Amino acid sequence: MSDESGTERYLRLTVELTVEVQDLGALQAAALKEINHPDADLDDDERREQAEMVSADDSGATALQWLIEPDHVLGLIEHVEQIEPREAVLGVEPSEGPSDEEDEHDHEHGHDHKH
């Protein structure tokens, strides 16, 4: 739903989320299922290439990229339906784990959304 008056507004969300990979095999299997899904916009060579990348990455980052959609991120914004994703750039990289600074930041703003 876009504004007919030509006064569209765009907001760029920056989200930093640290996740713990508890079962790498299950994460990779879920990503491979997405890669091989008939709706995935990939030809056979691309499917094979992506599957190899997911299987070779023992951090799980490549697999996780296949499982996050812009609509999922919008699910973090409750009670608002008047927005829709237009563009998404997603980067997933290995982390040393949650930092103390991140924990303090969460409490500072009073948000305890642990999904």
Side-chain angles (χ1 to χ4, degrees), residues 13 15 17 70-79 83 113-115:
L13 282 70
V15 177
L17 171 66
D71 286 341
H72 298 165
V73 177
L74 281 185
L76 300 173
I77 303 170
E78 298 176 354
H79 315 297
I83 54 176
H113 291 281
K114 309 274 191 222
H115 294 283

Side-chain angles (χ1 to χ4, degrees), residues 2-81:
S2 63
D3 188 33
E4 297 298 322
S5 66
T7 59
E8 295 91 351
R9 288 182 175 80
Y10 297 93
L11 301 172
R12 176 168 287 132
L13 282 70
T14 303
V15 177
E16 184 169 324
L17 171 66
T18 301
V19 299
E20 178 184 356
V21 178
Q22 297 179 335
D23 187 338
L24 177 61
L27 176 62
Q28 289 174 330
L32 293 173
K33 184 177 177 183
E34 286 295 313
I35 290 168
N36 291 312
H37 193 280
D39 291 343
D41 191 21
L42 301 170
D43 64 30
D44 288 342
D45 288 339
E46 291 169 327
R47 284 181 205 275
R48 194 167 24 259
E49 179 184 1
Q50 290 298 317
E52 287 173 4
M53 288 171 54
V54 164
S55 298
D57 181 1
D58 63 359
S59 74
T62 306
L64 187 59
Q65 285 182 310
W66 273 98
L67 301 171
I68 300 174
E69 299 285 339
D71 286 341
H72 298 165
V73 177
L74 281 185
L76 300 173
I77 303 170
E78 298 176 354
H79 315 297
V80 178
E81 297 176 1

